[in-house]
Amino acid sequence: MTYCVAARLNEGLVFLSDSRTNAGIDQISTFRKAMVFEREGDRFITLLSAGNLSISQSIREILHTHTVEGEGPEQGLTIWNATSMFDVARVLGSAVREIHSRDGQALKEQGLDFNVSMLIGGQVAGEGMRLFQVYSAGNFIEATAETTYFQIGEAKYGKPVLDRILTPDTSLNEATKCLLVSMDSTLKSNLSVGLPLDLVVYTANQLGNAKILCLDEQNDYFQYVHNTWGPRLREAFDAIENPHWDERAQVNHPIADQRKRYRPLLKISSPDHRVN
């Protein structure tokens, strides 16, 4: 499995992906899930992928040259001549459907789902930054001010910190830290996600010159995040007082509060006892 996350902020975009794939407990490999397409001064695009590795690799391979016929210029619409990130997402969706038409039936006959999901974001000259999540049917949705980030793969472990921290006004540095904490939480709880990590940090309107890093177990900053987040989380947990069960106790935050909207559960005391 994998974990990929991307955030669209006022200052720019941040992308982060792991690199572990597995086909069982004894078949664990490293494959990069991120790709960067850049024509400096014209467009900067980052793609993250999760799901069936053979499907995502096929899509990534044809995306370089895939054309949506009858759209855009005479030669057709590609990621290189699209005039908006919306059209870039359309090209990716079309590439997903092409691979599905080629491989979908064969996979179905083997009892396998056409399982792939992708994040694509960036900026094309003449418009602002945009971020999309593309599904296995080739359809997609766009990040908004209310939903500033997308996750694919093993998303649940790293979601709480994203919900609590990220807003459109979050700085690129804080967002990078937040995504790394999200990844560290996922690594802690799921063995199917693993190092190294690919990190891309893009500043708005630069159309190039992004920070692109590969973080492994020897990276000082990621180790600092890993060694700091757990103990600080424990400190925050310990700072919350334990519940007091005595209703008569004089405490600031009683758990057995009589001013309740709903009744506690009723005990069933006999076979003919029914709770309405």
Side-chain angles (χ1 to χ4, degrees), residues 135-175:
Y135 299 101
S136 56
N139 57 321
F140 53 85
I141 59 174
E142 182 174 5
T144 64
E146 294 76 25
T147 304
T148 59
Y149 72 88
F150 287 137
Q151 300 169 284
I152 53 176
E154 296 291 349
K156 53 186 174 291
Y157 308 99
K159 191 174 189 298
V161 67
L162 302 175
D163 287 336
R164 286 179 165 86
I165 300 297
L166 290 183
T167 72
D169 294 326
T170 303
S171 70
L172 281 177
N173 281 338
E174 284 189 330

Side-chain angles (χ1 to χ4, degrees), residues 15-162:
F15 302 86
L16 183 65
S17 63
D18 84 315
S19 59
R20 179 168 291 177
T21 63
N22 68 288
I25 59 174
D26 58 351
Q27 295 187 50
I28 298 174
S29 305
T30 298
F31 288 92
R32 311 292 277 273
K33 316 295 178 58
M35 291 185 74
V36 175
F37 305 89
E38 177 184 295
R39 183 186 290 144
E40 193 167 349
D42 177 59
R43 66 196 58 224
F44 182 89
I45 302 166
T46 299
L47 173 71
L48 307 180
S49 59
N52 184 294
L53 182 61
S54 67
I55 296 172
S56 60
Q57 284 188 335
S58 295
I59 295 168
R60 287 162 46 145
E61 180 63 27
I62 70 168
L63 185 62
H64 293 268
T65 57
H66 184 73
T67 301
V68 180
E69 301 292 346
E71 300 277 355
E74 291 184 4
Q75 69 270 28
L77 185 67
T78 73
I79 63 169
W80 299 108
N81 64 24
T83 57
S84 70
M85 281 301 302
F86 181 85
D87 281 343
V88 169
R90 288 179 58 212
V91 175
L92 176 57
S94 175
V96 171
R97 287 189 288 271
E98 179 174 322
I99 297 303
H100 181 272
S101 66
R102 189 193 73 182
D103 297 342
Q105 184 59 37
L107 289 168
K108 184 177 181 180
E109 291 172 358
Q110 296 298 316
L112 300 173
D113 293 329
F114 188 86
N115 175 30
V116 68
S117 54
M118 295 186 156
L119 304 179
I120 192 163
Q123 187 171 16
V124 174
E127 71 161 10
M129 304 170 299
R130 301 175 78 172
L131 173 65
F132 298 87
Q133 180 170 348
V134 182
Y135 299 101
S136 56
N139 57 321
F140 53 85
I141 59 174
E142 182 174 5
T144 64
E146 294 76 25
T147 304
T148 59
Y149 72 88
F150 287 137
Q151 300 169 284
I152 53 176
E154 296 291 349
K156 53 186 174 291
Y157 308 99
K159 191 174 189 298
V161 67
L162 302 175

Side-chain angles (χ1 to χ4, degrees), residues 33 68 91 112 126 136 160 176 188 206 212 224 239 245 250 274:
K33 316 295 178 58
V68 180
V91 175
L112 300 173
S136 56
T176 300
K188 176 71 173 177
Q206 293 297 299
I212 303 175
Y224 165 71
W245 301 100
Q250 298 299 312
R274 295 291 181 268

Side-chain angles (χ1 to χ4, degrees), residues 250-269:
Q250 298 299 312
V251 295
N252 292 328
H253 308 287
I255 192 172
D257 191 345
Q258 294 298 326
R259 299 169 300 170
K260 46 187 174 286
R261 179 180 177 185
Y262 299 104
R263 298 179 302 168
L265 291 173
L266 297 177
K267 301 175 183 177
I268 297 175
S269 56

